[in-house]
């Protein structure tokens, strides 16, 4: 059964002007789609325009041409329908965990009682029960990112956009967070578009992976990931995992090699 | 254990501040009681204390302190009321910034003393002229400071708020303002200090009370002890103001305070 299309990016181009008035092409003709409840990864080398791409989808930047459709409607500017989680957590340091998670609901003028109930639900989901009244500065990096995820999910966005959310975490914490996110994806059915430069992360979490090329960023290939069972740290040693990882590594190695030859 | 060390270090820091004051007073005593400097240039500490005590007795001390504090406060509060929204707008809109920044940069270099004749011409010799001098002395600096502080708010936090569905107004109220508050408190603390430095300028013409007026008048009679008394009083009020602002900062942004505690 084909799931319904949630997010479409069509022929997106992004051209920056550099200080000398020259043109820098950050994204060239990028098209991708994410179906409902799907977990889609975008993997690519640093500087391939991944962050620009997700910012355009999130409405924080505008494209030079092309369009982004959410459930068939073009998006303009940022909105609560596309929740974002950033690498730098960007929690509000003056608010407690509870108030951070309630933030989006407060903006929508949801009643205080409703907000508290919903926030509690998502704080439980990310495993932060008991930390409701802590301030962000009292939390570790992993816990901060849990708060950021809960804060975005509490808003019940149509799609969750994640920009290298675990990039600043140590290796062990990262695996724990990846398992948590895989579980959230399974249990809540949230549609997720996730950006990373970490191939392991892409293969472990993604149902489908868009592999991007170096600047100008464009989609090089789409890889369907077939890994049996629930995704967790055990998946990291399965032959299917390793085979997919190898395929993507080869593509990205080719990219780096081409880039080196260009010089 | 680490905390213990910090604590003793904190005490010794306070001790150092105290020693500095004591040293200055000691040099003062030596210079004046030792007869090295004439009384007319450097009055003795006891003469200055006597002056302050006699002023406290006849009530002129409180009246002058209050008049001056009131003028400083009114001038400064007006400058905050206008500079705060203007600085916030400048930080978040290139158009507003392009419109007002050059004129502010221009005005901020104008010496306030040079504006006194114009304020007299326009406003006469009443109290509003004095408030205006304090206002002019602090406003242009404060706008730029507010703009700078607000521009320094982490743009990721603003982006996060916008993707959480906050409108522009909500971003201002719920994110930019609280995030900038500790920095703004610092800006306020600094500018109210500058406001005090413009007090003498404000009380230069047509004042008949206030600490600045008292200092100016004493110059005419070579009443150096009164000048010293006035300077010491302004300094003390400054210290108290600073202290009040530190407490206020802690009250309005407790999350920030605990951050530095760690």
């Amino acid at each position: 059964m084909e799931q319904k299309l949630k997010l479409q990016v069509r022929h997106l181009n992004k051209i920056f002007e550099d200080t000398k008035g020259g043109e820098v092409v950050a994204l060239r003709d990028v098209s991708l789609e994410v179906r409902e409840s799907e977990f889609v990864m975008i993997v690519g080398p640093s500087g391939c325009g991944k962050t620009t791409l997700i910012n355009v989808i999130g409405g924080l930047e505008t494209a030079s041409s092309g369009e982004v459709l959410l459930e068939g409607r073009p998006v303009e500017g940022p909105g609560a329908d596309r929740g974002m989680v950033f690498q730098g957590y960007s929690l509000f340091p003056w608010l407690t965990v509870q108030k951070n998670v309630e933030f989006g609901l407060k903006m929508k003028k949801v009643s205080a009682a409703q907000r508290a109930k919903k926030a509690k639900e998502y704080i439980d989901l990310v495993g932060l029960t008991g930390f409701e009244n802590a301030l962000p500065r009292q939390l570790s990096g992993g816990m901060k990112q849990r708060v950021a995820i809960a804060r975005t999910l509490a808003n019940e966005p149509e799609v969750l956009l994640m920009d290298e959310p675990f990039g600043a975490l140590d290796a062990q914490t990262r695996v724990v967070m990846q398992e948590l996110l895989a579980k959230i994806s399974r249990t809540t059915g949230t549609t997720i578009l996730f950006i990373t430069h970490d191939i392991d992360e892409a293969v472990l979490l993604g149902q489908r992976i868009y592999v991007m090329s170096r600047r100008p960023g464009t989609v090089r290939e789409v890889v369907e990931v077939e890994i049996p069972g629930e995704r967790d740290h055990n998946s990291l040693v399965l032959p299917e995992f390793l085979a997919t990882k190898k395929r993507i590594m080869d593509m990205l190695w080719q990219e780096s090699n081409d880039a080196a030859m260009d010089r | 254990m680490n905390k213990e060390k910090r604590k003793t270090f904190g005490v010794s820091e306070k001790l150092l501040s105290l020693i500095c004051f004591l040293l200055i007073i000691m040099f003062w005593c030596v210079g004046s009681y030792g007869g090295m400097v004439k009384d007319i240039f450097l009055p003795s500490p006891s003469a200055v204390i006597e002056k302050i005590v006699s002023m406290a007795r006849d009530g002129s001390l409180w009246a002058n302190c209050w008049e001056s504090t009131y003028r400083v406060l009114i001038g400064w509060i007006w400058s905050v009321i206008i500079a705060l929204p203007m600085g916030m707008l400048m930080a978040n809109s290139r158009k507003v910034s392009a419109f007002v920044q050059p004129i502010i940069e221009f005005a901020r270099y104008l010496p306030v003393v040079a504006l006194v004749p114009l304020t007299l011409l326009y406003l006469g010799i009443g109290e509003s002229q004095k408030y205006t001098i304090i206002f002019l002395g602090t406003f242009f600096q404060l706008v730029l400071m507010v703009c700078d502080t607000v521009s320094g708010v982490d743009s990721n936090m603003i982006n996060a708020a916008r993707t959480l569905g906050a409108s522009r107004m909500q971003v201002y109220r719920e994110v930019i303002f609280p995030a900038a508050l500790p920095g703004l408190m610092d800006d306020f603390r600094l500018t109210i200090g500058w406001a005090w430095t413009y007090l003498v300028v404000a009380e230069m013409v047509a004042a008949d009370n206030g600490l600045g007026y008292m200092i100016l008048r004493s110059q005419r009679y070579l009443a150096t002890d009164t000048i010293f008394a006035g300077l010491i009083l302004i300094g003390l009020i400054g210290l108290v103001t600073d202290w009040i602002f530190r407490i206020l900062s802690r009250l309005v942004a407790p999350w920030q305070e605990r951050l530095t505690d760690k």
Side-chain angles (χ1 to χ4, degrees):
Chain A
M1 190 186 77
E2 188 75 346
Q3 281 152 309
K4 115 178 170 212
L5 272 181
K6 200 81 182 176
L7 181 76
Q8 284 167 281
V9 173
R10 291 209 288 223
H11 309 294
L12 208 68
N13 286 284
K14 176 73 182 179
I15 299 159
F16 289 105
E17 206 168 280
D18 67 16
T19 44
K20 289 174 198 125
E23 286 187 345
V24 178
V25 182
L27 295 172
R28 179 186 288 163
D29 197 29
V30 174
S31 293
L32 59 86
E33 48 195 41
V34 184
R35 292 181 210 108
E36 184 154 28
S37 297
E38 202 178 17
F39 201 140
V40 173
M41 306 293 293
I42 298 173
V43 66
S46 314
C48 74
K50 308 188 288 282
T51 295
T52 306
L53 174 59
I54 207 157
N55 281 346
V56 169
I57 299 172
L60 297 172
E61 288 184 50
T62 51
S64 307
S65 66
E67 59 182 354
V68 177
L69 303 174
L70 185 68
E71 298 200 310
R73 289 184 306 273
V75 302
E76 265 173 53
D81 50 1
R82 284 147 293 137
M84 285 185 84
V85 174
F86 306 88
Q87 182 174 352
Y89 323 128
S90 26
L91 299 179
F92 307 119
W94 57 92
L95 297 179
T96 60
V97 168
Q98 173 91 22
K99 297 283 176 203
N100 261 287
V101 176
E102 285 181 17
F103 187 88
L105 299 168
K106 194 179 168 198
M107 296 304 106
K108 283 190 207 157
K109 307 207 157 56
V110 174
S111 76
Q114 278 287 328
R115 289 205 305 259
K117 191 168 155 259
K118 192 138 260 173
K120 180 95 189 71
E121 191 181 306
Y122 284 98
I123 289 171
D124 285 348
L125 180 71
V126 297
L128 281 180
T129 312
F131 289 93
E132 289 85 351
N133 296 317
L135 285 171
R137 55 149 214 99
Q138 297 167 310
L139 306 177
S140 67
M143 288 162 89
K144 280 182 192 156
Q145 202 55 292
R146 284 168 196 252
V147 178
I149 292 170
R151 181 177 67 175
T152 310
L153 288 176
N155 238 4
E156 291 174 344
E158 297 289 339
V159 54
L160 178 59
L161 306 171
M162 307 185 87
D163 185 7
E164 304 213 26
F166 309 142
L169 304 176
D170 64 72
Q172 284 74 35
T173 312
R174 198 178 308 151
V175 176
V176 173
M177 293 298 292
Q178 286 161 350
E179 284 193 358
L180 173 74
L181 192 62
K183 195 187 107 202
I184 289 173
S185 161
R186 270 200 313 275
T187 55
T188 66
T190 308
T191 312
I192 303 175
L193 180 62
F194 187 120
I195 276 182
T196 184
H197 64 265
D198 179 345
I199 302 172
D200 278 2
E201 187 166 71
V203 181
L204 176 63
L205 292 174
Q207 291 167 348
R208 209 140 45 84
I209 303 173
Y210 285 88
V211 183
M212 286 186 70
S213 67
R214 228 161 248 281
R215 182 160 288 180
T218 185
V219 176
R220 188 192 160 107
E221 211 151 333
V222 188
V223 178
E224 301 282 340
V225 186
E226 306 287 349
I227 296 176
E230 288 180 354
R231 307 285 180 90
D232 58 23
H233 64 279
N234 296 312
S235 314
L236 290 166
V237 290
L238 293 178
E240 293 88 345
F241 175 90
L242 294 170
T244 313
K245 179 178 170 179
K246 171 86 172 99
R247 238 182 102 193
I248 295 172
M249 273 173 79
D250 286 345
M251 287 176 208
L252 290 179
W253 179 86
Q254 191 67 45
E255 277 297 318
S256 314
N257 204 39
D258 292 352
M261 290 310 204
D262 281 347
R263 301 234 166 85
Chain B
M1 204 181 92
N2 204 0
K3 231 177 183 175
E4 201 79 11
K5 249 185 196 166
R6 280 270 170 86
K7 215 172 176 188
T8 54
F9 187 63
V11 167
S12 76
E13 274 175 359
K14 276 191 187 130
L15 196 67
L16 280 173
S17 313
L18 193 67
I19 288 173
C20 179
F21 271 104
L22 289 175
L23 272 176
I24 290 170
I25 292 170
M26 202 182 79
F27 280 120
W28 185 10
C29 288
V30 170
S32 133
Y33 296 127
M36 294 157 89
V37 188
K38 276 188 186 163
D39 263 3
I40 197 160
F41 296 122
L42 186 68
S44 69
S46 51
V48 173
I49 291 167
E50 265 168 40
K51 189 78 213 172
I52 293 176
V53 170
S54 83
M55 275 171 20
R57 284 228 179 93
D58 68 22
S60 63
L61 175 85
W62 315 115
N64 284 332
C65 283
W66 170 243
E67 282 300 331
S68 293
T69 308
Y70 189 74
R71 283 173 187 146
V72 166
L73 276 179
I74 298 290
W76 174 81
I77 285 170
W78 272 109
S79 125
V80 169
I81 289 174
I82 301 176
L84 187 61
M86 200 158 164
M88 283 180 88
L89 276 174
M90 271 172 75
N92 289 287
S93 157
R94 282 198 195 156
K95 279 181 189 151
V96 175
S97 182
F99 187 68
V100 293
Q101 181 131 13
I103 186 71
I104 288 173
E105 297 276 7
F106 171 83
R108 130 186 129 93
Y109 281 96
L110 302 179
V112 176
V113 187
L115 297 172
V116 169
L118 286 179
T119 59
L120 286 169
L121 183 64
Y122 298 154
L123 299 162
I125 55 173
E127 284 299 300
S128 56
Q129 184 263 342
K130 286 150 196 73
Y131 306 147
T132 305
I133 289 295
I134 308 255
F135 173 85
L136 290 173
T138 51
F139 173 73
F140 301 106
Q141 312 282 345
L142 187 57
V143 174
L144 295 179
M145 287 166 86
V146 168
C147 175
D148 208 48
T149 303
V150 172
S151 307
V153 172
D154 184 5
S155 59
N156 289 320
M157 222 143 67
I158 297 170
N159 284 342
R162 301 207 64 199
T163 59
L164 286 166
S167 67
R168 278 192 184 276
M169 266 320 284
Q170 284 173 324
V171 169
Y172 269 108
R173 206 175 54 227
E174 306 284 343
V175 180
I176 296 178
F177 185 70
L181 198 52
L184 291 175
M185 289 302 286
D186 270 347
D187 297 344
F188 295 160
R189 190 169 59 85
L190 286 172
T191 43
I192 201 169
W194 297 340
W196 275 98
T197 67
Y198 289 112
L199 181 69
V200 177
V201 180
E203 291 176 354
M204 203 154 60
V205 184
D208 48 17
N209 51 23
L211 293 169
Y213 161 76
M214 188 180 98
I215 290 170
L216 284 170
R217 193 197 45 184
S218 308
Q219 177 203 5
R220 239 180 279 160
Y221 304 115
L222 290 177
T224 349
D225 49 351
T226 315
I227 294 180
F228 268 70
L231 291 176
I232 288 172
L233 286 171
I234 291 177
L236 285 177
I237 293 172
L239 280 181
V240 172
T241 312
D242 234 56
W243 176 71
I244 290 171
F245 264 92
R246 279 176 211 283
I247 291 173
L248 275 180
S249 300
R250 257 177 248 177
L251 286 178
V252 298
W255 51 277
Q256 179 83 4
E257 173 58 27
R258 274 179 252 162
L259 195 118
T260 51
D261 246 358
K262 208 175 172 185

